[in-house]
Amino acid sequence: MSGVLLKICDGLLHRIGAHGVETYPHECCGALLGRDGDDAREVLELVPLENRRKDSPRNRFEVTPDDVHLAEKIAREKQMELIGWYHSHPDAPARPSEFDREHAWPWYSYIIVSVQQREPRDTTSWRLRDDRSAYDSETIESAAHSATR
Amino acid sequence: MAVKVIIPTPLRPYAGKQESIELQAGSVAEALVALTTRFSELKKHLYSDDGRLRSFVNIYVNDEDIRYLQKEKTSLREGDTVSIVPSIAGGSHIA
């Protein structure tokens, strides 16, 4: 398994927070496109998606297989990889819930932004352990501009 | 029947880093058994503890969701493509 460092430029981090504000008090979601390296992975593009979970969008999000296909297609067109997903936790901490863990895939990076009273707060990133027992935190390294684009 | 199973990116580390696996199976259930027998590490990601396919694991036969066919009993023909397609879900602690 490759490293636990996730690089992402400030502009993309800002857009994730802005998406969370836009959909507040509902959860936002989207795909992370970029490159996976031996020591780190880097987010280079976002694909904002509609939260398909209509019965409880305040504390749940869902991305359908069709939307996963769409994100993979966009990644291929841009010669990138689909490396993970982001979503917001409205008025809740930026920590993965038990529901997040039960529904997570391995390998993907999962960015969570906490949106408190319409203001983006903490942003964290996580990766599921191989045995599905828990998440490991990924260190987010942000910069004004992407270094390896 | 010789069929091809497409492995999604997050599961490739548990399937010899391969994008697809060729195997012999007459139904989707047989294909999944053959796949998880060959790559046992896949099992915990595809099935929950009660032995059912996880809700966010979607299986397609030639682009048709097996939920609209005969589910895991869906029969396979020579050359069919079985795709494991993720859906993504999650959410916060708040009720």
Side-chain angles (χ1 to χ4, degrees):
Chain A
M1 190 68 68
S2 56
V4 290
L5 182 67
L6 186 74
K7 297 180 180 180
I8 181 169
C9 72
D10 290 340
L12 293 181
L13 272 180
H14 178 79
R15 278 177 51 197
I16 291 173
H19 193 191
V21 171
E22 180 191 320
T23 62
Y24 182 92
H26 296 166
E27 295 199 4
C28 73
C29 57
L32 308 173
L33 310 187
R35 307 210 194 289
D36 182 46
D38 289 337
D39 300 321
R41 53 176 52 165
E42 183 170 22
V43 182
L44 297 169
E45 291 267 356
L46 304 177
V47 181
L49 295 166
E50 183 179 343
N51 182 355
R52 304 290 186 182
R53 185 70 187 260
K54 300 303 180 195
D55 58 332
S56 54
R58 192 164 182 274
N59 65 344
R60 296 285 181 261
F61 81 95
E62 183 175 346
V63 177
T64 62
D66 283 348
D67 285 342
V68 174
H69 270 313
L70 173 69
E72 285 177 339
K73 180 169 177 281
I74 293 171
R76 277 196 303 274
E77 287 169 357
K78 293 178 179 291
Q79 296 184 312
M80 295 180 192
E81 283 184 88
L82 173 57
I83 56 173
W85 305 91
Y86 71 85
H87 71 283
S88 62
H89 281 180
D91 297 320
R95 290 197 310 272
S97 65
E98 181 60 13
F99 189 84
D100 281 327
R101 187 191 63 79
E102 286 173 359
H103 290 78
W105 290 83
W107 191 83
Y108 285 140
S109 294
Y110 286 89
I111 288 181
I112 302 174
V113 59
S114 170
V115 180
Q116 304 280 347
Q117 298 299 311
R118 225 174 265 283
E119 286 290 325
R121 302 288 186 190
D122 297 341
T123 303
T124 56
S125 186
W126 306 85
R127 225 189 282 194
L128 186 70
R129 288 182 187 165
D130 283 347
D131 64 2
R132 305 192 63 86
S133 63
Y135 278 99
D136 287 318
S137 172
E138 287 186 313
T139 302
I140 294 179
E141 183 181 284
S142 60
H145 298 287
S146 173
T148 60
R149 190 163 189 176
Chain B
M1 318 289 167
V3 300
K4 181 161 81 172
V5 181
I6 306 291
I7 310 295
T9 307
L11 294 186
R12 286 177 198 161
Y14 311 96
K17 298 184 178 177
Q18 297 175 82
E19 292 182 21
S20 65
I21 309 290
E22 304 271 351
L23 46 80
Q24 296 285 328
S27 68
V28 169
E30 286 180 22
L32 293 174
V33 167
L35 182 69
T36 53
T37 300
R38 197 185 304 180
F39 301 103
S40 59
E41 287 291 297
L42 281 175
K43 202 164 186 174
K44 61 179 175 291
H45 297 297
L46 295 176
Y47 293 98
S48 54
D49 292 341
D50 63 7
R52 292 185 194 175
L53 270 180
R54 293 183 181 276
S55 60
F56 50 88
V57 174
N58 307 280
I59 308 291
Y60 287 68
V61 174
N62 303 330
D63 297 327
E64 191 76 39
D65 189 334
I66 63 165
R67 290 187 183 96
Y68 304 107
L69 300 171
Q70 285 79 49
K71 300 182 180 173
E72 287 168 74
K73 293 177 182 169
T74 302
S75 57
L76 298 175
R77 290 181 298 188
E78 184 79 17
D80 276 349
T81 298
V82 178
S83 303
I84 301 169
V85 181
S87 50
I88 309 298
S92 70
H93 298 273
I94 60 169

